[in-house]
Each structure stands twice: as structure tokens, then as C-alpha cells.
Amino acid sequence: MSKTADVVIIGAGAAGLMCAATAGYQGKSVLLLDHSNKPAKKVLMSGGGRCNFTNLNTTPANFLSANPHFCISALKRYTPQDFLELVERHGIDYVEKAPGQLFCANTSKDIQQLLLTEADWAGVDLQMNTSIEKVSTTADRVQLTTSLGKIDAGALVVATGGLSIPTLGATGFGYDLAQQLGLEVLPTQAGLVPFTLHPELKAQLAPLSGLSCDVSVSCNGQTFTEPMLITHRGLSGPAMLQISSYWQAGDELSINWLPQFNLKTTLAKLRQEQPRTHFSSWLAEQLPKRLATVLVSLLKEQGILLPERNADASNNQLEALAYALENWTFKPAGTEGYRTAEVTLGGINTQQISSQTFAVKNLEQVRFIGEVLDVTGQLGGYNFQWAWASAVACARSL
Ligand code: FDA
């Protein structure tokens, strides 16, 4: 069988479906191909099953990229408000869980259904279970050899995403094709991913598995104040996922266990007002009790000994204790990698892509959108906003 289409899109995930629907509404014949058995699997899994589909406070500063200006134009042309209008038009209930972070009130299926309905209304020909064997280009067209047969198209949009979670259909297809076309692919790394710990610390924290507390965590000049979750494998929760995108193997993380306090002042006040009590009792009032106990023994290992009574603490001891609680540093063993990472850092170097059309410079008929590019959002709905914005910018210029 041989087919022709104005546009072929590879990858029926967030960006691919959005691009297909937008191009279809513009009167283009669109063929959307995916090797997986179901479209938008990551949408279904996202946001703990309730898809954090955008963030009202999205700015270019929420993205990591070697070329930080690249995302500005697309984000400006398709805003979180634009996607929200689409969500409202489909009658989907949503909630703002944290400031700006919009989630489905019911399930992620609502967003998957929105995308499929839009693609259907726009006349998109969606073909799942389709493998792409070969891509070649002529002066102004693209030829594909696929399990559906040969396809000739006026444009190819690659929306195959990153490497995160292979069991959801992730592959390096987009990177391989980019390299085949002579584009540079910047080194990739798992992002928004839990940390694993060295055996000793892992054993010390293991009894606290399931426990969550608000911390500030810092690395390489970035700080996030959000909940941290101790798991049986290591450290997770929003604080750890966020900082993982700024962490390189071998880096230390620094945790402030009590970011809501100026500890030097608070501990000095405590010494004055409760001279007969012990700092560890106060600590156990501020943090989960079991965590406070483990923390006191971790501090001891660092040579921070708490005096019997607050009154006995010298100024130097107070300062050392405050510093240790605000700057508790450790080296993670690593991360859980692509098996559980929400995103892939790095990817196709955007210097070679037009920020207006997402076409490859000097190869107009081939375009790349979404996560396959070297643009990665922080946690909080930014990655989907990038998928929507890059898809719409690309489709409108087809
Ligand atoms: P996406 O990965 O969505 O789609 C790629 C598509 O290409 C897939 O359908 C895949 O099957 C297909 N494909 C891959 N290789 C192929 C090949 N060789 N041939 C044919 N097809 C191929 N973001 C956010 O903003 N809010 C959130 O709540 C979450 N939550 C979340 C949870 C989890 C568990 C994960 C893993 C990720 C998130 N994310 C998120 C991130 C978000 O899901 C991600 O950034 C977007 O889905 C990226 O959209 P893309 O369309 O670029 O790729």
C-alpha cells in the first residue's frame, strides 16, 4: 500500500496529537503514526493519574535548555490560558492544586479524550501499531517506509518524545533520525527523577520509608522548597524530582530541614525561653518524630552534639547546630534513571531548529516538536505546556 499526505506526524503523544489536530483544522491531510498500541500513554499516567495539564504561571525561566531563548516565541503564541479554554470547551472539570498548577478534577483520561476528539474532528488519520523503518528526503518532500507501506508527504513532524519510561513506548527514534539528518543531539539525562542512596544512608533512612516533610533542597545554584518523600529506595517527592534536573553525577545535595525558620535566631530564643528542655524535643515538634530521632543521630555522626539542656549550649554550638540543620549535605548514589523519570534532559540542539516553525534550518520539510528537543520543563505542568505550545506553533506554519 502506498499513501500520500500533506503532513505525516510520528508520535501520537501530547505534542503529536495537538499538532495533528491543529494542522487538520487548517485543511491539511494529516497522517499520525505511532508504534505503540494506545495514543497518549504518558498523558494517562501523568500527574498521578490526574494530568497536571498546564501551569498558569509558565515563563521561559521554568525550562532548562542550552539555548534558553528558543522556547520564548512558542510559549508566547500559545499560552496556558489558550489550553485552558480548550479544556473548558470540552467541559472538563479541573482543580488548581498548587498555585498555577492545573490538574483534572477526575482523571487524565479527560485530556487524552480531548486530544483524540480534537484529532478526530480535524479529520486526522491516526494509525497506531505502526513502525517506521526508513525516512528519506527529496528537495521538498519526505518519503517514509513503514509497516503500513510507503508514504510520501509534504512535511514530516517528529514528536517521538524523550527516553523516559520505555514501557510507555519511549524510544530514541527522534534522536537517531536527527543524527541521520546531520543535526547535533546534546547529551541526554533522566530528569524529574527520584534519587538512590549509598547503602549506609539508605539503611539509616529505610525505617522512615513513606514519610514526607517540607524541605529546601539546593544544588548548583538552584533551590526548591517543596515536600520530600523518603522511600524504600531513596529520596523522592517534588523537592527531589525538581532538583534532580539540576544535578550531575557526583554532585552533593544540600537540605535545609526547617526552611520555615531562621534557625540561628530561633535556637537562641529557645535557649533563653526554655533553658531546661532539650533541642531534640523541639526538633521532634517541628518534624515527624521518627525523622527527628534519625536526624539527631545523623548530626552526631557529623560531630554535632546537642547539650543535655538548651541552657548549656554555647553560642558556637548553637551556630553549628543551626548551620548543620540548614545545610545537611550528602552525595546521592545516583538516580532511578529513565525507568521512572518524568522527562529527558538534553536532546536535539535547538540552534539548528527554527523557533517560529520548528523546521530544521535548511531542511524545511522536516520538523521536531515537544520533548525530543533540548527543552525541558520543571515539575508542575510546564512540560505539557511546552508540548502544546511547540505543537501549535509548528502546525500553524505548515
Ligand atoms: P510523548 O512521550 O508524550 O509522546 C511520544 C510518542 O511517540 C509516544 O506516543 C510514543 O509511543 C511515540 N513513539 C516513540 N518512539 C516511536 C517510534 N520509534 N515510532 C513511532 N512512535 C514512537 N508533564 C506535565 O506537564 N505534567 C504532568 O503531570 C506530567 N506527569 C508525568 C508523569 C509521568 C509518569 C511521565 C513519564 C511524564 C510526565 N510528564 C508530565 C511529562 C510529559 O508527559 C512529557 O513531557 C510529554 O508527554 C512530552 O510530550 P511529547 O509529545 O513530546 O512526547
Side-chain angles (χ1 to χ4, degrees), residues 64-248:
L64 293 93
S65 173
N67 179 11
H69 296 298
F70 179 80
C71 62
I72 296 173
S73 168
L75 291 174
K76 232 187 231 168
R77 286 182 284 153
Y78 191 84
T79 65
Q81 205 57 45
D82 291 325
F83 191 75
L84 186 56
E85 275 168 27
L86 185 61
V87 167
E88 287 176 349
R89 239 185 293 137
H90 281 256
I92 295 172
D93 288 336
Y94 59 89
V95 287
E96 186 169 356
K97 268 204 190 171
Q101 292 182 23
L102 302 188
F103 286 74
C104 293
N106 298 309
T107 83
S108 311
K109 225 174 176 332
D110 289 344
I111 300 295
Q112 184 207 34
Q113 199 47 54
L114 173 158
L115 294 167
L116 291 174
T117 303
E118 287 290 318
D120 186 39
W121 287 346
V124 172
D125 181 2
L126 170 61
Q127 299 287 342
M128 302 304 297
N129 298 304
T130 304
S131 57
I132 318 300
E133 284 141 28
K134 195 174 159 215
V135 175
S136 52
T137 56
T138 51
D140 58 353
R141 295 191 70 82
V142 182
Q143 286 75 40
L144 292 96
T145 307
T146 75
S147 55
L148 281 182
K150 290 200 183 301
I151 299 165
D152 176 74
L156 169 68
V157 180
V158 182
T160 46
L163 297 169
S164 316
I165 320 214
T167 51
L168 293 179
T171 71
F173 178 90
Y175 307 132
D176 295 342
L177 179 62
Q179 275 168 336
Q180 182 196 316
L181 297 172
L183 304 180
E184 185 188 13
V185 177
L186 298 172
T188 55
Q189 183 184 320
L192 301 182
V193 63
F195 286 103
T196 54
L197 301 173
H198 289 294
E200 198 185 337
L201 185 57
K202 187 175 163 187
Q204 283 166 308
L205 296 183
L208 306 178
S209 172
L211 200 146
S212 169
C213 61
D214 284 352
V215 299
S216 277
V217 59
S218 306
C219 184
N220 291 322
Q222 287 289 329
T223 299
F224 293 96
T225 303
E226 303 214 40
M228 176 186 83
L229 175 69
I230 301 173
T231 73
H232 64 286
R233 298 175 57 85
L235 296 177
S236 186
M240 290 297 145
L241 298 185
Q242 292 279 34
I243 206 70
S244 70
S245 293
Y246 297 86
W247 179 86
Q248 299 290 327

Side-chain angles (χ1 to χ4, degrees), residues 11 13-15 34-35 42 46-47 52 159-160 169 171 173 342 371 381 383-384:
D34 199 298
H35 69 153
K42 280 192 191 167
S46 66
N52 180 192
T160 46
T171 71
F173 178 90
E342 285 198 12
E371 199 183 314
N383 284 294
F384 280 134

Side-chain angles (χ1 to χ4, degrees), residues 338-354:
Y338 294 120
R339 193 181 61 83
T340 62
E342 285 198 12
V343 289
T344 302
L345 297 155
I348 298 171
N349 188 343
T350 56
Q351 298 285 1
Q352 300 142 307
I353 308 288
S354 156

